[in-house]
Amino acid sequence: MGNLTATRPPQPWSAPTATDPVATTLRLPGSKSLTARALVLSALAGGPSTVLRPLRARDTELMAAGLRGMGAHASITDDERWLVRPHPLVGPAHVDVGLAGTVMRFLPPVAGLTDGRVTFDGDPAVRARPLGPLVEALRSLGVRIDVTGPGSLPLTVLGAGRVSGGEVVIDASASSQLVSGLLLAAPRFDRGVVVRHVGPPVPSAPHLRMTVRMLRAAGAAVDDGMPDVWTVEPGPLAGRVWEIEPDLSGAVPFFAAALVTGGEVTLQGWPHSSAQPVERLRALLHEMGGEVSLTTGGLSVRGTGVVHGVTADLSDVSELTPVLTALAMLADSPSVFTGVAHIRGHETDRLAALAREFAGLGADVTESHDGLAIRPRPLRGGTFRTYHDHRMAHAAAVVGLAVPGVELDDVGCTSKTMPEFPALWSQMVTGKS
């Protein structure tokens, strides 16, 4: 198993500067979002499942460990093929969520089905991540939960072996995962679930569509025809083979490198029908000066060496905000990003961290309540703090392509979703890993 603890020493890293256009073909690890959902659905299925080409990283290993602790059999020794066999869910168990929003929000509903006591905690920073609406929703569905900390974590789910289910109202404006967590376990609830969102728009809508699509693929009956209402009928889930496509969010820094350097990057193994928001990414990269094409060889992005500023609402692709901010720093015109207030509750307050760290490199960046405004000007090298956040490290690496002397205080945080990132990045830029 990989690194399941945050008590590793920092790994300082000098972001390599590109002297030539990058030209590379990559095969990146699988999608974190797809891998996480496949593991949960497999553990709740009526028969064995296989997860092909999953993401092996801290978040997904913590997900597998949490399910294993509650009784599921999950064999993840083979990097290309993970095997999951459902078993009766039992406690006591402890789930280490690390910094993973997926583990923190997907597994408490599963723990409600466990016959026994399941405790949850993680890295100190995760205790500030939004979880309260899910706790209250589960309580209204009949799950006993004790919150023992000042925030939502640590908590204890006192599983009774079943969840009655029914209708629930939730404000999921802080994270779409609050809804996905309820939906994934709902087929096993006695009455299924009807989730009604009341509040500002749910961010990252493509991830909710991914949840619904995967539930249906496992045999669940799901109705999402009414805005902000999701109905999942009770019923069995089928074991199956899950083929995990490459991680789009993980690919974005590499695609950004093509724009910054005027090079070309091709991601192999990209499906023609994707569960991820590839069309939205294609439009954004095109507007910023890239050419995006999908062929049998993969998904390719080519740059001209000139990056254009954009004005964009990123609410549906908020994970891309750090790398797009880095691109905007190197653009030929200003950019304004909005719709991402909720990323203040991610691994760190990403808006504040991006504004602070890029200002430290000389950037003209203004933070608003739900976004950033960037007016490009020459940047200088300096230390860039990552705050244990993999997306912050990706942003720093992109700017470092054009700005010599960008020093990350810790590139090891990329192990959360892509342990291979520093080696892949250096290989792409310098030809040396």
Side-chain angles (χ1 to χ4, degrees):
M1 294 268 297
N3 175 26
L4 297 188
T5 176
T7 58
R8 55 166 181 76
Q11 299 175 34
W13 189 65
S14 300
T17 301
T19 56
D20 297 295
V22 299
T24 190
T25 298
L26 297 165
R27 180 172 286 277
L28 292 184
S31 159
K32 176 190 75 169
S33 300
L34 290 167
T35 302
R37 287 161 174 78
L39 285 170
V40 173
L41 291 171
S42 297
L44 296 176
S49 295
T50 303
V51 185
L52 296 179
R53 293 177 295 281
L55 171 68
R56 177 182 292 281
R58 187 182 184 221
D59 279 16
T60 54
E61 290 186 330
L62 286 169
M63 182 70 81
L67 291 166
R68 192 183 296 113
M70 288 186 278
H73 173 84
S75 173
I76 63 171
T77 55
D78 185 335
D79 285 346
E80 294 294 310
R81 181 185 298 266
W82 291 0
L83 304 175
V84 182
R85 290 199 304 273
H87 283 266
L89 298 174
V90 295
H94 174 71
V95 176
D96 176 5
V97 309
L99 268 175
T102 49
V103 182
M104 180 176 78
R105 300 182 183 119
F106 291 2
L107 292 193
V110 177
L113 297 164
T114 299
D115 187 6
R117 179 187 185 94
V118 183
T119 59
F120 289 80
D121 201 4
D123 297 359
V126 83
R127 296 178 179 179
R129 301 194 69 176
L131 185 62
L134 178 63
V135 171
E136 294 309 312
L138 287 170
R139 283 173 170 163
S140 74
L141 294 173
V143 180
R144 290 179 58 202
I145 301 178
D146 289 341
V147 178
T148 54
S152 295
L153 286 176
L155 65 78
T156 301
V157 176
L158 303 167
R162 52 182 291 273
V163 175
S164 58
E167 294 202 20
V168 65
V169 175
I170 188 172
D171 180 352
S173 57
S175 174
S176 64
Q177 292 172 353
L178 298 167
V179 175
S180 286
L182 291 169
L183 301 185
L184 288 167
R188 293 282 301 273
F189 295 173
D190 293 351
R191 293 188 289 145
V193 80
V194 178
V195 179
R196 299 181 186 276
H197 162 70
V198 175
V202 180
S204 304
H207 284 88
L208 275 172
R209 292 194 290 271
M210 178 189 296
T211 297
V212 170
R213 176 172 168 169
M214 294 183 72
L215 275 162
R216 288 173 174 156
V222 186
D223 182 355
D224 63 344
M226 185 181 299
D228 291 334
V229 179
W230 300 265
T231 301
V232 181
E233 300 292 340
L237 294 170
R240 53 161 291 158
V241 175
W242 296 101
E243 294 193 34
I244 307 300
E245 61 192 58
D247 189 90
L248 187 66
S249 297
V252 170
F254 297 91
F255 291 153
L259 269 66
V260 171
T261 68
E264 184 169 7
V265 172
T266 297
L267 176 60
Q268 289 182 323
W270 193 260
H272 278 269
S273 175
S274 173
Q276 300 175 86
V278 65
E279 290 306 319
R280 179 73 170 118
L281 174 64
R282 182 197 294 254
L284 284 165
L285 292 180
H286 177 75
E287 193 175 353
M288 297 188 84
E291 299 175 9
V292 185
S293 59
L294 178 60
T295 68
T296 54
L299 186 64
S300 296
V301 176
R302 183 186 309 150
T304 62
V306 178
V307 180
H308 305 310
V310 294
T311 296
D313 180 335
L314 301 180
S315 57
D316 55 345
V317 285
S318 58
E319 282 285 314
L320 310 187
T321 304
V323 167
L324 294 180
T325 299
L327 274 176
M329 297 288 166
L330 306 173
D332 62 1
S333 59
S335 294
V336 178
F337 299 130
T338 58
V340 288
H342 62 284
I343 71 172
R344 294 186 182 279
H346 281 198
E347 283 80 347
T348 187
D349 179 339
R350 283 181 174 165
L351 293 180
L354 287 164
R356 184 184 307 119
E357 296 310 309
F358 278 121
L361 302 183
D364 181 355
V365 54
T366 302
E367 181 185 347
S368 69
H369 76 284
D370 75 335
L372 298 168
I374 300 105
R375 289 160 295 279
R377 65 186 187 190
L379 302 181
R380 59 179 178 267
T383 298
F384 193 102
R385 292 175 293 175
T386 60
Y387 305 90
H388 309 293
D389 186 341
H390 55 150
R391 305 299 182 204
M392 290 292 292
H394 295 162
V398 169
V399 163
L401 292 167
V403 180
V406 175
E407 304 286 339
L408 282 67
D409 69 337
D410 179 29
V411 77
C413 59
T414 57
S415 66
K416 175 177 166 63
T417 50
M418 192 186 300
E420 309 92 333
F421 177 79
L424 286 171
W425 191 262
S426 296
Q427 175 70 31
M428 175 185 69
V429 180
T430 68
K432 303 173 183 175
S433 58

